[in-house]
Amino acid sequence: MMPANADCPLCNGHGETVLYRNAFLRVINAQDPDYPAFTRVILNRHVQEMTDLNQAERHGLMSAVYLVEALQRRHFQPAKINLAQFGNMVPHLHWHIIPRFADDRHFPNPVWGMPREEACVPDSDEARDCVSRVAHVAQQLPAYHQAIGETFLPLFGDTDGTLPDQADVEQTLLKIADL
Ligand SMILES: [Zn+2]
């Protein structure tokens, strides 16, 4: 196991809002005001690339990403879900899972790209659809955050670095899709 890197913000993890954590990974609320459901899955170890993990670890990490994606679809009905893994700034494995909407601030660009020229202004008269969509996300957010904990606990355990059984992950994904 690689040692924690003192200069790495993801090894430190200060100020994070953790939704679920075991010894292997954690799931956090990214706390982005434009994207309130933006969620990150972070490997706890300081590892740079997916191919630095063994097969079971790779499957475990991606299972976490897919479970978050499935819960976002269930709770928010987004136009698209963006999955991203860069590490150019912080070379410590972490996945971004972002539900996207046709009227969000950057659509169809990545959330790190250029904002739209006609951004939705919730106070304007023309913005009723945007307002109801923003309200829907806000209303679903607590249940979504609770569902992350409830979904991860039986699969990943409560403390040790349990990696879930892949058949159990598939069953859970189907269950979430059926709800
Ligand atoms: Zn690190």
Side-chain angles (χ1 to χ4, degrees), residues 5 8 10-11 46 92:
N5 180 335
C8 173
L10 295 185
C11 284
H46 188 85
H92 174 141

Side-chain angles (χ1 to χ4, degrees), residues 18 31 39 59 87 93 115 125:
V18 176
Q31 295 182 294
T39 303
H59 287 165
L93 276 179
D125 287 343

Side-chain angles (χ1 to χ4, degrees), residues 20-64:
Y20 170 81
R21 181 187 180 104
N22 74 358
F24 177 64
L25 58 73
R26 62 194 189 267
V27 183
I28 70 161
N29 175 1
Q31 295 182 294
D32 184 319
D34 288 326
Y35 298 94
F38 187 159
T39 303
R40 290 197 187 95
V41 169
I42 303 171
L43 188 77
N44 289 331
R45 263 154 63 205
H46 188 85
V47 167
Q48 183 164 321
E49 306 292 354
M50 290 298 291
T51 44
D52 290 330
L53 300 177
N54 68 37
Q55 185 186 45
E57 291 170 333
R58 273 199 303 278
H59 287 165
L61 186 62
M62 293 317 295
S63 293

Side-chain angles (χ1 to χ4, degrees), residues 49-105:
E49 306 292 354
M50 290 298 291
T51 44
D52 290 330
L53 300 177
N54 68 37
Q55 185 186 45
E57 291 170 333
R58 273 199 303 278
H59 287 165
L61 186 62
M62 293 317 295
S63 293
V65 172
Y66 301 143
L67 289 163
V68 171
E69 175 187 295
L71 289 169
Q72 289 185 349
R73 292 181 77 178
R74 172 188 151 200
H75 285 273
F76 305 114
Q77 300 84 44
K80 183 69 185 79
I81 292 180
N82 290 171
L83 303 181
Q85 196 274 108
F86 301 100
N88 301 338
M89 308 282 283
V90 182
H92 174 141
L93 276 179
H94 60 287
W95 281 86
H96 308 277
I97 305 109
I98 316 155
R100 300 298 307 278
F101 301 90
D103 59 1
D104 73 33
R105 184 157 182 237

